[in-house]
Amino acid sequence: MPELSPRRRMLVLAICCMSLLIVSLDNTVLNVALPAMQKELHASVSGLQWTIDAYTLVLASLLMLSGSTADRIGRRRVFTTGLVIFTIGSVLCSVAPNLETLVVFRMLQAIGGSMLNPVAMSIITNTFTDPRERARAIGVWGGVVGLSMAAGPLVGGLLVDSVGWRSIFWINLPIGLAALILTWKFVPESRAAKARRPDPVGQALVIGVLGAVTYTIIEVPSAGWTSPRILALICLAVACTAALLVYEPRRAEPLIDLRFFRSAPFSGATVIAVCAFAGLGGFLFVNTLYLQEARGLTALHAGLYLLPMAAVTGVCAPLSGRLVGSRGPRPSLVVAGVGMTVSGLLFAVFQADAHTPLLFLGYVLFGFGFGWVNAPITNTAVSGMPRSQAGVAAAVASTSRQIGSTLGVAVLGAVLAGGVASAASPAGASHPSAAYLASFSEAARPAWWILTACGLAVLVLGIATSGDWARRSAQRAAALFEQPQDAPPQVAGATAAPARTGPSHRV
C-alpha cells in the first residue's frame, strides 16, 4: 500500500482520536453522575467503585489480547468491531434496571473499549513513521484526553441535572456511528508482518491477578482482612502472579514478554502510567463525591468546579507532545511529577478542600501536572518495542493506564469508604451539615497522601529512567530482539533503526 498523503494521515489521526474521545468522555461523564446513580440505584460506595472498576478491570485484562489480535487479523477490522460493541454496550447501560445489570453492561462496554485505544494507537504508530511527527501526533492524542476531561463534567452535569444519569451513555451513539463510517471509508487495513500467537493461559492468569486484587481492595473495608473470601482472593492473586512469572518466559511468543522490562525507560513508563492514572482515577472519584455529597453541589456545578483542571490538561498535553519530540521524555515527566505532588500536598497538608481558592489551585496544579504525563508514557512505550508489534506496544501502555485507574478508584475509594462509614448526611437536609463536611474531609486525608505519593513516584521515576544509564539498558534490551525474522526494535534513546514493513501491511 502506498504511503498516505499528509492530509490522509491527519484524517486517520482524527478518526482514531474519536475512539479515544468516546472512551475518555464516558469515564469523565460517569464520575459526575455517580451521586445520582447512587440515589436511584441505592448503591453503596463500593457499588459506585464497581461501576467504574468493572469497566477498567475488563479493559486492562483484554488490552494485550486485543492489540495482538489486531496485529494478526487486521487493525481496522478489530477497531470497527470494538466501535460496534462499545456503542451497543453504551445503549444497554442507559436502560440498566439495577446496579448489578449496569455493572454487567459496563463490562460489555469494556470489551469493545479494549479494541479501540490500543488498536488506534497502533494505527497511528504505523501511519506516522517519522519520530518527531509521531510525537506530535501522540501529543494531539493526549490533548483529546484533556478535551474529554473538560467536556465530560460539563456535558455530564448538564445531562444529569436536566434529563437524568441514563442520558450520559447516549452521547456515545452518534460519535461511535460517525467513527465507524469514517473508519470503513478512510482508514486502510494493516497487519503486522509477524504477529504473536494467542496465549490463553497467560490471558487467564492476567485476569486472575487483576480481578483478585481489585475485588480484595474494594470489598475489604466491609468484609475485613480475616474474611475467608478475602484470604482466598489474596492467595489467588499470589498464585496467579507466581504462575505468570514462571509460565510466560517459557513461551516463544508470550502475552507479556518480560524481556521488555529489562529496558529501564520502558519499565519506568509502565510504572509511571500506573501511578499517574491511579492518581487521576482516585482524584476524580473522591472529588466528585466530595463536591456533591459533602458540599451539596449539583452535578452541573460540580462539573464547573472541575473545569479548570480539565482545561489546563487539554492545553498542556499537546505542548508535552512537542517537548517530547524535541527534548525527550525527561522534561515532561519532571513537570508532571512536580505538579501532581504539589497538588496532593495542598490537599493533604493545607486542607485545600476546606478553602475554595486553594481548592481551585489544587485542581489547576493537578491538571497541569497530568497534562504533561501522557505523551512521554506513550512515546517511550511504543518506541521501546518493534514496530511490527505496534499493537502489543500500545496495549502495554494502555494496560498500565487502566490498571492505574482501577487501583486508584479501588484504593482511594476503599480509604474513603472506611473513613465515612460512620458518618451520614442528615436525612432530608438540603445541604450537608458542617459536621458531615468535616468528617468527609478528614476521611479523605489519607487519600490525598496517596495522591501525593503517586506524584512523587512520577517525578522520581521520570528522572531515574531517562538518563544515560537508562538509555544503555534500553539498548541492551533491544539487542535481545535482534532476530533474523524481525528487525531490531526502535528504543527510546537508542540508535536501532525501526523495523521495516512490507508493502502488504504498511499504512
Side-chain angles (χ1 to χ4, degrees), residues 236-294:
L236 175 63
V238 173
C240 288
T241 301
L244 197 64
L245 294 176
V246 172
Y247 175 78
E248 288 297 283
R250 299 176 184 273
R251 280 185 56 86
E253 295 179 339
L255 178 71
I256 303 175
D257 197 326
L258 301 180
R259 292 178 297 174
F260 285 114
F261 291 94
R262 299 184 185 183
S263 165
F266 181 83
S267 298
T270 302
V271 179
I272 288 170
V274 172
C275 293
F277 278 79
L280 176 65
F283 188 89
L284 290 176
F285 185 83
V286 173
N287 273 288
T288 297
L289 293 180
Y290 167 74
L291 292 173
Q292 297 186 58
E293 294 292 318

Side-chain angles (χ1 to χ4, degrees), residues 415-430:
V415 169
L416 183 64
V420 301
S422 60
S425 185
S430 59

Side-chain angles (χ1 to χ4, degrees), residues 108-427:
L108 177 62
Q109 260 192 315
I111 294 174
S114 70
M115 304 178 191
L116 296 181
N117 288 1
V119 181
M121 179 54 67
S122 175
I123 293 172
I124 291 173
T125 301
N126 282 270
T127 300
F128 295 90
T129 56
D130 178 74
R132 290 180 180 271
E133 194 177 45
R134 181 191 302 161
R136 294 189 184 99
I138 292 174
V140 174
W141 174 267
V144 174
V145 176
L147 176 63
S148 68
M149 290 178 64
L154 291 177
V155 173
L158 183 61
L159 289 174
V160 171
D161 285 349
S162 60
V163 184
W165 66 265
R166 296 179 184 277
S167 62
I168 65 173
F169 296 104
W170 299 344
I171 58 180
N172 295 330
L173 183 59
I175 301 177
L177 290 177
L180 181 63
I181 295 171
L182 291 172
T183 299
W184 275 111
K185 188 172 183 180
F186 295 109
V187 176
E189 183 62 279
S190 63
R191 296 177 178 85
K194 184 180 183 300
R196 294 170 182 258
R197 291 177 294 180
D199 181 9
V201 174
Q203 184 67 58
L205 291 174
V206 168
I207 293 174
V209 173
L210 296 179
V213 170
T214 303
Y215 191 96
T216 298
I217 294 173
I218 291 178
E219 298 297 333
V220 77
S222 58
W225 287 104
T226 58
S227 167
R229 179 180 54 181
I230 297 298
L231 293 176
L233 286 169
I234 293 174
C235 292
L236 175 63
V238 173
C240 288
T241 301
L244 197 64
L245 294 176
V246 172
Y247 175 78
E248 288 297 283
R250 299 176 184 273
R251 280 185 56 86
E253 295 179 339
L255 178 71
I256 303 175
D257 197 326
L258 301 180
R259 292 178 297 174
F260 285 114
F261 291 94
R262 299 184 185 183
S263 165
F266 181 83
S267 298
T270 302
V271 179
I272 288 170
V274 172
C275 293
F277 278 79
L280 176 65
F283 188 89
L284 290 176
F285 185 83
V286 173
N287 273 288
T288 297
L289 293 180
Y290 167 74
L291 292 173
Q292 297 186 58
E293 294 292 318
R295 284 208 170 195
L297 300 179
T298 64
L300 179 57
H301 287 157
L304 290 172
Y305 266 65
L306 294 171
L307 180 59
M309 176 191 72
V312 173
T313 298
V315 171
C316 293
L319 297 178
S320 178
R322 291 183 176 274
L323 186 61
V324 170
S326 60
R327 301 291 298 275
R330 175 177 278 189
S332 291
L333 291 174
V334 169
V335 173
V338 170
M340 295 177 66
T341 302
V342 174
S343 174
L345 288 174
L346 276 179
F347 286 96
V349 178
F350 299 101
Q351 300 181 350
D353 50 345
H355 309 282
T356 300
L358 282 181
L359 181 71
F360 279 113
L361 179 60
Y363 286 173
V364 169
L365 286 173
F366 185 87
F368 177 80
F370 186 80
W372 291 90
V373 80
N374 216 20
I377 290 173
T378 304
N379 183 267
T380 303
V382 171
S383 61
M385 283 189 176
R387 275 186 55 207
S388 62
Q389 304 298 329
V392 178
V396 169
S398 296
T399 298
S400 301
R401 292 182 178 91
Q402 298 305 324
I403 291 175
S405 296
T406 302
L407 294 178
V409 173
V411 173
L412 272 69
V415 169
L416 183 64
V420 301
S422 60
S425 185

